[in-house]
Amino acid sequence: MKIAVLGGGNGSFAAAGDFALQGHEVRLWRRDAAQVTQHRTAGSRIVVKDANGRHDTQLALVTSDIAEAVNGAELILCPAPAFAQHDIAARLAPHLGDGQVVFLPPATFGSMIFARAAQDAGNRSTTSFAETGTLPWLTRKHGPFEVAITIRAKRLPVGVFPLKAADHALDVIGRAFPGVIEPCGDALSAALMNAGPIIHPPLIVMNAGPIEHFESWDIHKEGTQASIRRVTDALDAERIAVRKGYGYGGPHFPLAHHYATEGEQWMYGRGSHDRLTDSGDWRERIVLTQHRYMREDLRLGLSFLVSVAELAGVATPLAKAFLAIGGAICGEDFMRGGRTLASLGLATLDRDRLQTLLREGFSG
């Protein structure tokens, strides 16, 4: 199938390389024209390293022209950080066509941002938007045109906006991720599967000392201790309570399953935590005030969780605490500058009207 991948980070390179490895026609869009020129000069190729070795993959196109990238694509995949979504959505909006599917893995309710951008651009195409709970690859770039994939997702709970378009959207996404996609309802249900705002805030805040002391630190290895795991589970319980508050049923993909050796499989399957830490790729320098764990997962992810929890009447004391501490570290008010129903233009909707919008989409 024809797939457009948007972005130039770890996830985008993993997506483009892995899809090309599977035999899809892949077009990669990047904003930076100079980097696009370098990539084209290098042959528009991506080397994918995984458990089976090194694979040299060929992309159909590398471009800084987003219209060229997405023209005729059945699936448009954008794994860029949530703080980049407004800009990318505005660039993409005029070029979307009937039947195309925009997939955001994960998104912090970014599907609504992309759908709203198309609406605001006057684009009335029957495009659908979907998101899931994690990036489909545990991955890190090892060079300008080389990416290492440590784990491929085994289960991806996917929600669609508008929900009435779910059958088509899930069919398209399922052809890119065969045997992996699990429908979880609407886009808000999927947004409340996002693992990043649960796993990363406790790890960076409770490891702030060693993160700032050492040149590099693996928050998933030395940084994942029993006391932090208990806090993570308690924060995850708040997420699950919010899901239940909106009437969403299981499976809720509790993060504890990511670490477990038995019981229900999590999104990355068995043993993924050990393979992640064994790879060494997550021993890295983290600048707390700048890293996406803080700017995306904590600031945007937890402010969103708190906002939708308030509409559902669910208490989220730990999420609020991490927002307060993270904001103090960065010298900002994370709720004021975060992602909320108000910042998404949905403040006037009660629960019933929000769920109608999620089901039916924008009218006119």
Side-chain angles (χ1 to χ4, degrees):
M1 63 191 297
K2 295 179 179 179
I3 302 175
V5 177
L6 309 183
N10 298 311
S12 298
F13 265 59
D18 208 26
F19 288 145
L21 187 61
Q22 295 172 37
H24 298 296
E25 179 184 314
V26 182
R27 305 169 196 166
L28 177 66
W29 171 82
R30 304 183 69 175
R31 281 175 286 197
D32 191 316
Q35 291 179 332
V36 166
T37 298
Q38 292 173 8
H39 201 162
R40 284 179 166 179
T41 301
S44 299
R45 310 183 77 83
I46 292 178
V47 174
V48 176
K49 299 193 300 184
D50 63 11
N52 296 317
R54 293 170 59 90
H55 317 276
D56 189 11
T57 68
Q58 178 68 56
L59 307 185
L61 176 70
V62 179
T63 181
S64 58
D65 182 340
I66 200 167
E68 183 182 28
V70 304
N71 181 38
E74 298 169 81
L75 178 66
I76 301 167
L77 186 132
C78 181
F83 48 72
Q85 289 169 348
H86 283 285
D87 176 62
I88 297 174
R91 294 170 184 256
L92 176 65
H95 309 295
L96 293 170
D98 288 337
Q100 288 186 311
V101 178
V102 179
F103 186 36
L104 309 165
T108 316
F109 212 34
S111 52
M112 186 61 66
I113 291 172
F114 278 74
R116 174 78 74 179
Q119 180 78 3
D120 291 346
N123 188 333
R124 300 297 182 264
S125 298
T126 57
T127 308
S128 48
F129 305 84
E131 58 186 273
T132 185
T134 192
L135 190 67
W137 307 268
L138 283 176
T139 183
R140 284 291 188 269
K141 290 171 73 174
H142 279 189
F145 315 117
E146 182 173 296
V147 66
I149 296 176
T150 302
I151 297 280
R152 292 173 175 85
K154 304 297 189 294
R155 303 175 68 192
L156 287 176
V158 175
V160 178
F161 179 85
L163 183 58
K164 66 182 182 182
D167 287 348
H168 170 71
L170 293 168
D171 174 69
V172 171
I173 298 168
R175 284 189 280 127
F177 297 95
V180 175
I181 301 304
E182 298 185 22
C184 72
D186 60 39
L188 178 57
S189 173
L192 291 171
M193 292 290 195
N194 193 350
I198 306 303
I199 190 170
H200 292 136
L203 288 177
I204 61 169
V205 169
M206 299 178 74
N207 282 284
I211 285 172
E212 293 196 330
H213 177 74
F214 295 108
E215 182 63 28
S216 62
W217 182 256
D218 190 335
I219 59 172
H220 297 287
K221 194 173 182 70
E222 295 89 353
T224 300
Q225 300 298 330
S227 58
I228 297 176
R229 282 284 301 109
R230 289 193 292 272
V231 173
T232 304
D233 285 345
L235 180 60
D236 202 33
E238 293 182 1
R239 175 191 68 88
I240 293 172
V242 175
R243 284 186 51 78
K244 292 178 178 178
Y246 280 94
Y248 298 125
H252 298 294
F253 287 83
L255 190 59
H257 291 166
H258 170 59
Y259 300 95
T261 57
E262 57 184 23
E264 185 179 340
Q265 283 199 106
W266 197 68
M267 299 182 203
Y268 290 129
R270 288 276 178 269
S272 55
H273 177 72
D274 291 339
R275 289 172 64 184
L276 181 154
T277 55
D278 289 346
S279 73
D281 280 349
W282 279 260
R283 184 170 301 284
E284 55 193 343
R285 182 170 183 260
I286 296 175
V287 179
L288 283 175
T289 57
Q290 300 173 14
H291 201 279
R292 71 170 188 84
Y293 294 159
M294 180 72 78
R295 310 306 303 182
E296 177 182 19
D297 292 328
L298 199 156
R299 181 173 67 97
L300 298 183
L302 290 186
S303 59
F304 177 73
L305 179 64
V306 168
S307 176
V308 296
E310 288 174 347
L311 184 60
V314 176
T316 52
L318 267 176
K320 289 180 178 179
F322 280 114
L323 279 167
I325 297 170
I329 290 171
C330 295
E332 300 176 29
D333 183 341
F334 275 2
M335 278 305 295
R336 185 182 300 273
R339 179 167 296 181
T340 64
L341 291 174
S343 74
L344 294 169
L346 303 173
T348 61
L349 301 184
D350 59 19
R351 277 185 53 177
D352 288 343
R353 291 171 62 201
L354 174 61
Q355 290 179 315
T356 297
L357 173 65
L358 291 169
R359 183 176 62 252
E360 301 297 329
F362 297 108
S363 57

